[in-house]
Amino acid sequence: IVGISPADGALLWETDFPGRIAVAPTPIVRDNEVYVTAGYGAGCKLVRIDPKNKVTTVYENKVMKNHHGGVVLVNGYLYGFNNSILTCLEFATGKMMWRDRSVGKGALVYADGNLYVQSENNVVGLVEATSTGYKEKGRFTIADQGFPSWAHPVVSGGRLYVRDQGMLTAYNIKAN
């Protein structure tokens, strides 16, 4: 993992991370901390960067091994898929708050207090973003396009956009 100066491309700091085949999820940055996760057994890591670019590892564990579905930070908690299990971690400590098989391995996005989760097996679910436990509000299936669905759901302008292969569907989720 590296920090690069946007002004001139100079290396500011670096730390080891056992990413293997791919480290697809976007890092989470909060203040002077950087959280990364990857699948293929890599796990997750939170580092703190001081004003002189010294890196300190806060924690490193295998509680979150996110393959491709991304992770979101909401009110001090991380939500993402640990392989095929939706997982909530406390950002500051890496402590697992809960896990649930939910819709299966997939991707997620946060909006309006909820996680919109889309599995690679064509199931879309709505889960309350809370650290106190898994609270599913509903789910539905999308048409099978013949391959795993790896697209991330998107919420914008009161609509949920779900893409899979050559199909894009918009759902009105605006509260009345």
Side-chain angles (χ1 to χ4, degrees), residues 35-94:
Y35 174 88
V36 294
T37 180
Y40 302 102
C44 63
K45 183 175 186 175
L46 178 69
V47 297
R48 186 170 294 125
I49 316 300
D50 77 9
K52 296 185 180 194
N53 291 319
K54 179 181 178 230
V55 179
T56 303
T57 298
V58 178
Y59 60 83
E60 189 170 6
N61 61 46
K62 306 277 187 191
V63 177
M64 181 77 75
K65 298 180 293 279
N66 192 277
H67 181 224
H68 63 76
V71 178
V72 294
L73 176 62
V74 179
N75 298 324
Y77 294 92
L78 294 160
Y79 300 90
F81 287 92
N82 176 28
N83 291 321
S84 62
I85 302 172
L86 187 59
T87 302
C88 173
L89 302 181
E90 185 176 48
F91 179 80
T93 66

Side-chain angles (χ1 to χ4, degrees), residues 95-159:
K95 175 184 173 190
M96 182 177 48
M97 304 306 293
W98 56 260
R99 299 173 67 172
D100 194 277
R101 293 214 176 265
S102 184
V103 299
K105 184 178 181 182
L108 78 165
V109 67
Y110 169 82
D112 302 322
N114 296 298
L115 304 170
Y116 292 82
V117 293
Q118 180 178 345
S119 82
E120 65 182 14
N121 295 320
N122 309 308
V123 178
V124 177
L126 182 65
V127 178
E128 184 178 341
T130 177
S131 63
T132 60
Y134 179 81
K135 296 177 184 169
E136 185 173 305
K137 295 179 166 184
R139 66 171 61 196
F140 63 93
T141 59
I142 59 174
D144 187 343
Q145 301 296 306
F147 296 98
S149 177
W150 288 354
H152 291 225
V154 173
V155 174
S156 179
R159 288 190 172 82

